[in-house]
């Protein structure tokens, strides 16, 4: 039987005080492609199959209580992505965005993970199965 969710993907909506500026940060530091709509009040950023929608919201508490999790195909790819973004975090305008210093193995649920916060405070977790090698 066909599952209507087969082939679908999830695109979280993140709050940002200025979606256009947030999209530019994702593009510059994380390598996303961007599209900005409605005079900068809404933006979509994409990299690979990950899409994030950014909506205009001045309440930082909303962003700081929003998160998503993206599963990466294998540990090697996770480590490469982390290294790329850790290097980008050395640029002065990366802050107030931040990234954990290194991925950590989480044996309890079999994943290696790291987390990144965008300048608005939205949290994105990235993980790969410890058993999946490239």
């Amino acid at each position: 039987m066909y599952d209507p969710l087969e082939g679908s993907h999830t695109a979280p909506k993140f709050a940002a005080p200025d979606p256009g500026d947030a999209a530019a940060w994702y593009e510059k530091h994380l390598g996303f492609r961007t599209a900005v709509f409605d005079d900068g009040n809404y933006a979509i950023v994409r990299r690979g199959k990950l899409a994030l929608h950014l909506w205009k919201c001045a309440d930082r508490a909303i962003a700081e209580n929003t998160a998503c999790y993206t599963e990466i195909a294998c540990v090697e790819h996770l480590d490469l992505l982390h290294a790329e973004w850790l290097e980008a975090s050395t640029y002065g305008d990366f802050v107030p965005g931040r990234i954990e210093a290194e991925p950590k193995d989480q044996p309890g649920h079999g994943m290696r993970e790291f987390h990144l916060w965008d300048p608005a405070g939205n949290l994105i977790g990235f993980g790969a199965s410890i058993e999946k090698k490239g």
Side-chain angles (χ1 to χ4, degrees):
M1 184 171 148
Y2 173 76
D3 184 341
L5 289 175
E6 190 67 35
S8 66
H9 72 277
T10 299
K13 291 179 100 170
F14 281 168
D18 184 324
D21 284 351
W25 183 88
Y26 276 91
E27 185 173 349
K28 178 178 181 181
H29 296 292
L30 306 182
F32 280 74
R33 293 182 338 270
T34 65
V36 180
F37 306 96
D38 193 23
D39 293 328
N41 291 315
Y42 197 87
I44 300 171
V45 296
R46 288 186 172 87
R47 181 164 174 186
K49 293 186 178 184
L50 175 58
L52 302 172
H53 291 234
L54 306 164
W55 60 283
K56 188 172 185 74
C57 177
D59 187 348
R60 186 169 175 88
I62 292 173
E64 290 176 345
N65 287 284
T66 302
C68 74
Y69 189 86
T70 299
E71 196 166 325
I72 306 296
C74 64
V75 168
E76 288 82 3
H77 293 172
L78 179 84
D79 290 344
L80 285 171
L81 187 64
H82 179 268
E84 174 190 332
W85 289 349
L86 187 64
E87 182 177 331
S89 75
T90 63
Y91 306 148
D93 60 346
F94 190 90
V95 175
R98 61 189 171 98
I99 185 172
E100 289 181 325
E102 63 185 43
K104 295 178 182 75
D105 287 352
Q106 305 292 339
H109 56 278
M111 301 292 281
R112 178 177 296 167
E113 300 174 332
F114 74 89
H115 298 87
L116 178 135
W117 292 262
D118 73 9
N122 296 293
L123 168 68
I124 310 174
F126 295 90
S129 172
I130 294 170
E131 297 180 8
K132 287 188 181 177
K133 304 291 181 190

